Amino acid sequence: MHTYLSSLSQGCSLELFNDGDLIFHSRGKWLHPLFEAENFIRKSGRQYDNLTLHDSISGLAAAFLTIRLSVRAVNVDMISSLALELYRNYDVEVHYTKLVDRIKCITETMIRPSMTLDEAYRLLRKKADLTSGISLKIENLDFSYGSKKILDGFSLYLEKGDAMILEGDNGCGKTTLLRLILGLEKPAAGRILYDGKEERPPVGYIKQFSDKQDFPFTSREVVALSLPDDTQDREGEIEVALRRCGAYHLIDRQFFSLSGGEMAKVNSAF
């Protein structure tokens, strides 16, 4: 008989095997043994190609985590019908002792069968308080460059461990928002809370241009650097070049205060 089909060792809630050999066991409760198993595999640095698992109980949440471990076969003492269906959808061989309609656990209602493995994993790590980082709450933020309104009542909330992609046209305020979060700009109104506090913790980001230096050049002066010394109508040439690239409205802005997309527009006027 396959080792993962044998009874769990005394006191164990989960046992993980590779090629029939026991490589990990846990006495933990809830989903923690599966997170511990993941941590064990990651720290071992090895590639396990024939994983099997014996778990004392498996609801839908546990099934998602087990499948994400690339386990090919499971033996569960008590399994929910939702977990059984999910295992079969991912072609995991399933053996079980007792089948129940649903495991009485809040995660059984939090997780949806339609979720991807990564979506379920991120949600469950948050529930297990295993995510790193801080929460970020932005409330009714206003910001302007002179008479140009960049942000108008902007609000946002990200929980600890959340990820977000900022998309938008050049100059719409993406870089400005990051500078506000980093404390490099001050909002005209509104506030930013880091883990519920206004005091900003150490926060960093990777710049779009790592070699950027804050020399006091306007866009006009940057474009002028590309013109031959004997250019007759320098102002006219600068205007034509910037208009051609859709960047004329940036002509008197400090070049290094521009967003990455705006810099690219000015650079293309060369």
Side-chain angles (χ1 to χ4, degrees), residues 147-174:
S147 61
K148 183 180 180 182
K149 195 87 165 182
I150 304 297
L151 297 174
D152 186 6
F154 181 84
S155 296
L156 172 71
Y157 179 64
L158 293 175
E159 293 185 1
K160 182 170 67 173
D162 279 352
M164 183 184 71
I165 296 175
L166 285 176
E167 292 184 320
D169 296 334
N170 293 334
C172 72
K174 300 186 298 295

Side-chain angles (χ1 to χ4, degrees), residues 23 35 63 70 80 89 107-108 123 163 172 186 207 235 239 265:
I23 60 172
F35 286 120
S70 298
S80 75
N89 287 343
T107 52
E108 198 83 342
L123 193 154
C172 72
K186 299 290 185 182
K207 296 181 180 180
E235 285 301 314
E239 178 178 347
K265 280 189 173 183

Side-chain angles (χ1 to χ4, degrees), residues 4-23:
Y4 77 100
L5 295 177
S6 301
S7 299
L8 286 168
S9 301
Q10 183 67 33
C12 285
S13 56
L14 178 146
E15 291 179 336
L16 182 66
F17 303 85
N18 187 62
D19 286 327
D21 297 324
L22 179 66
I23 60 172

